[in-house]
Amino acid sequence: YGIYIYADIDKDMGATLDMERMYIEDNTISNCSYGIYLSEGWNHTTITGNTIFDNGIGIYVWGGYAGNYENTDTEIHWNKIYNNTGYGLLYHMTGAPTTPYINATYNWWGNGNGPSNSSMIDPVTGEWANGTGDAIGGGVANDNIHFDPWIGKIMLYQGWNMITMPVWNDSIDTAEELGDYINEKAGWKICTVITKWDASEQQYISHVVDFGADFSLNPGEGYFVFVRADICLSINGTIVEPDVNITLKPGYNLIGHTKVMMTTALQIGQNISNCVKVGRWNASATPQQWMPECIVAYGINNFDVIAGDAVLIYRSEGVEKWYG
C-alpha cells in the first residue's frame, strides 16, 4: 500500500470514537498494489492534489456491505490519477447497488476525455464513463461515483466564452482547428468565431471559422470562443501544465489556468509582478457579463479558477515571463 487508512473500535459498552475529517494531500504515489486504500470505518476523507500513477489500483475505497455503508462523505478532487493498471478509482460495495455516491469530480484521469468503464454512470449528471483514461468501478454498483466534470471537460454556453485549452491535443494547434474540433463534436457548425487578445498591441484579433486569417494557439493563453448553442466539450489530449511559457506585457493580458489543482484570482495576481487586478467573464449569466474584478492589493472580489478557465489580468508596468 502507498497510504493505508484504517479505523476500528472495540464494541465495548460505552465506547466512543470521534473521527474528524482526514486529509490526504500533495503526495506522489506509484508502483504499489494500492496507491491509497481506505479501509472500513473511516468516514469523512478528503483526497486532493495527489499524483497517483503506475499502481495496480490508484485509490481503493471500501464501501461496506448492503445496509451497512462505510466511508461516507468521501471527497476526491484535483488529483492526477493515471496509468493504474486495474482501476484509477474503485469504490467497492458488496450487496445491493443502492450505494451513496462519493464525490470524485475535477480529477485528471490520464486523458482529457475522462475516465473509462462504459458501464459506470454519474449519479448526478447522468454522464457515462466513456473516456480512455483510467477505469473507475463500483463493485456491484454502477452509479456510486460522481466523476463528472473532470479535468479536460469544459462547458461552452451560447454566446461568448472565455477559456483556455485545459488539455493539449497536437492536432489542435490553431483557432481554425479548435473551431473544427468543436463543430465535429457538436455535429454541426456551432462554433463560428474564436478571438484572442494581443497584449503587445492591446487589441482583439478574431478568426472566423472556415474563413479568413488564422492564428496559432499556445498553452496558457486565453481565448474567446463564440458558439450558437450550449455544448459540453471534452478535449482528447494530455495535461499541458509543464509547457506554459507566456510573455506578459504592460496593460491587459488574457491568460488561462492549465494546472490540475484549482487556484484563485488572488493567488494568480499575487504571483505576477505589477498585477493590479484579475477579471473574469460570466458566460452562464443572462445576459453574459464581466464580473467585478479581483483587486489584488485589497484581496476583494476573489474567485476560484479551475483548469480551462481564462482570466484577464491588468499589469501596471514591465515585461515578465509567466509559467502558469
Side-chain angles (χ1 to χ4, degrees), residues 84-129:
N84 297 287
T85 56
Y87 289 92
L89 170 61
L90 179 59
Y91 180 33
H92 191 216
M93 296 295 301
T94 301
T98 55
T99 313
Y101 69 81
I102 59 176
N103 193 334
T105 54
Y106 296 107
N107 292 290
W108 165 252
W109 297 100
N111 193 296
N113 58 24
S116 59
N117 188 345
S118 59
S119 66
M120 287 294 293
I121 185 172
D122 190 294
V124 177
T125 67
E127 181 79 40
W128 293 92

Side-chain angles (χ1 to χ4, degrees), residues 176-246:
E176 176 65 24
E177 290 170 346
L178 176 58
D180 289 342
Y181 187 88
I182 296 171
N183 293 335
E184 181 181 353
K185 293 294 184 180
W188 62 292
K189 191 174 180 180
I190 188 174
C191 177
T192 57
V193 182
I194 297 176
T195 298
K196 74 172 184 177
W197 176 255
D198 187 328
S200 298
E201 301 295 331
Q202 293 290 290
Q203 63 182 16
Y204 289 110
I205 298 175
S206 293
H207 168 68
V208 179
V209 179
D210 295 332
F211 179 80
D214 202 359
F215 58 79
S216 297
L217 306 182
N218 296 297
E221 283 185 342
Y223 307 101
F224 280 96
V225 176
F226 186 87
V227 293
R228 296 192 283 176
D230 294 352
I231 179 174
C232 201
L233 181 69
S234 292
I235 300 178
N236 181 25
T238 187
I239 51 178
V240 301
E241 56 183 32
D243 299 321
V244 173
N245 186 347
I246 303 294

Side-chain angles (χ1 to χ4, degrees), residues 240-248 258-259 320-324:
V240 301
E241 56 183 32
D243 299 321
V244 173
N245 186 347
I246 303 294
T247 300
L248 302 178
T258 61
K259 291 186 181 298
E320 178 182 349
K321 283 287 186 180
W322 180 69
Y323 302 99

Side-chain angles (χ1 to χ4, degrees), residues 22-102:
M22 164 68 76
Y23 292 91
I24 303 173
E25 299 177 330
D26 302 329
N27 303 282
T28 297
I29 309 168
S30 65
N31 299 307
C32 300
S33 296
Y34 299 88
I36 296 175
Y37 190 110
L38 298 185
S39 189
E40 67 271 13
W42 195 269
N43 300 308
H44 317 300
T45 302
T46 295
I47 301 173
T48 59
N50 301 282
T51 300
I52 306 165
F53 67 101
D54 289 348
N55 302 286
I57 295 176
I59 302 174
Y60 179 93
V61 181
W62 169 239
Y65 299 96
N68 187 30
Y69 301 123
E70 305 283 354
N71 286 309
T72 59
D73 188 28
T74 302
E75 301 278 340
I76 303 172
H77 308 295
W78 321 113
N79 301 283
K80 302 174 192 175
I81 307 169
Y82 64 95
N83 289 347
N84 297 287
T85 56
Y87 289 92
L89 170 61
L90 179 59
Y91 180 33
H92 191 216
M93 296 295 301
T94 301
T98 55
T99 313
Y101 69 81
I102 59 176

